[in-house]
């Protein structure tokens, strides 16, 4: 007799919460509430990645999706209106068609994916196994994920760091951190 996998229940609960938050984001007209719910959506995604044993992806989603992106959108919101203008119904239907087609394509592709945790899947057979066997001899870093991010894919990590730095710099420019402007009333 097969035992019930309780982690699937957690996966379904997180997917349900993601769907509910996504629908709420689409329905809202208040941009501040929409930006905050997008941060919640990113945090739920990060929690789901943790449940799928992808902690490094979860950390990136929490830092970039919930952190940097939320701050960037809040800063951009300072330069625009707080309420979205009404949109014609035809645009909603067009967006629904695009999302439905993309979702159907994703569900169609699920059938070609390997079984979760399959040791013979391509992700666990070729490059992944090379990293696991080579890391102790080549780099001597005990954590394979750290070795991959900091050494094997060091240029990727450097590029991602540059993108985050540029986003932070953009936020500072949007906020206008000019000290003379703040003290202009004193003269």
């Amino acid at each position: 007799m097969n035992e019930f996998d309780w982690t699937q229940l957690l996966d379904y609960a997180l997917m349900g919460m993601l769907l509910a938050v996504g629908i709420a984001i689409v329905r809202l007209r208040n941009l501040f509430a929409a930006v905050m719910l997008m941060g919640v959506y990113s945090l739920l995604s990060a929690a789901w990645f943790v449940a799928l044993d992808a902690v490094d992806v979860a950390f990136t989603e929490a830092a970039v999706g919930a952190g940097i992106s939320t701050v960037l959108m809040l800063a951009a919101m300072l330069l625009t209106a707080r309420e979205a203008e009404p949109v014609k119904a035809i645009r909603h239907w067009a967006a629904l068609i695009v999302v439905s087609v993309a979702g159907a394509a994703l569900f169609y592709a699920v059938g070609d994916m390997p079984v979760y945790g399959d040791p013979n899947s391509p992700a666990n057979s070729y490059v992944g196994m090379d990293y696991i066997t080579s890391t102790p001899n080549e780099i001597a870093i005990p954590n394979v994920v750290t070795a991959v991010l900091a050494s094997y894919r060091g240029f990727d990590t450097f590029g991602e760091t540059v993108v985050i730095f540029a986003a932070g710099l953009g936020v500072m420019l949007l906020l206008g951190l000019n000290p003379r402007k703040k003290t202009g009333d004193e003269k």
Side-chain angles (χ1 to χ4, degrees):
M1 181 174 173
N2 293 337
E3 292 185 25
F4 181 74
D5 186 7
W6 289 99
T7 58
Q8 284 187 353
L9 191 63
L10 177 65
D11 291 341
Y12 294 139
L14 287 170
M15 283 191 283
M17 286 190 277
L18 284 171
L19 183 64
V21 171
I23 290 171
I25 290 171
V26 171
R27 302 287 304 161
L28 283 174
R29 292 187 56 205
N30 185 308
L31 296 180
F32 179 77
V35 167
M36 298 315 297
L37 279 181
M38 289 171 76
V40 170
Y41 188 90
S42 291
L43 285 177
L44 286 171
S45 297
W48 194 19
F49 289 140
V50 169
L52 294 174
D53 290 334
V55 179
D56 56 329
V57 178
F59 180 75
T60 303
E61 179 63 31
V64 175
I68 299 292
S69 297
T70 302
V71 170
L72 184 62
M73 284 193 253
L74 286 175
M77 202 177 66
L78 291 174
L79 303 174
T80 185
R82 301 287 168 102
E83 296 284 330
E85 294 187 14
V87 178
K88 294 180 180 177
I90 188 71
R91 289 187 64 192
H92 290 293
W93 287 108
L96 180 63
I97 290 170
V98 169
V99 168
S100 298
V101 169
L106 289 173
F107 275 109
Y108 178 75
V110 166
D112 291 335
M113 293 182 66
V115 177
Y116 180 70
D118 181 12
N120 297 321
S121 68
N124 293 328
S125 299
Y126 306 108
V127 176
M129 288 307 295
D130 286 344
Y131 285 142
I132 291 173
T133 57
S134 302
T135 297
N137 300 328
E138 293 179 355
I139 302 175
I141 295 175
N143 188 324
V144 177
V145 174
T146 302
V148 170
L149 291 178
S151 183
Y152 292 118
R153 293 181 48 201
F155 286 117
D156 288 345
T157 305
F158 176 71
E160 291 165 357
T161 306
V162 169
V163 168
I164 292 172
F165 175 75
L169 189 62
V171 169
M172 289 173 50
L173 291 173
L174 284 172
L175 293 175
L177 299 178
N178 186 358
R180 288 185 179 178
K181 194 174 182 180
K182 290 180 181 175
T183 59
D185 296 338
E186 296 174 0
K187 290 184 180 180

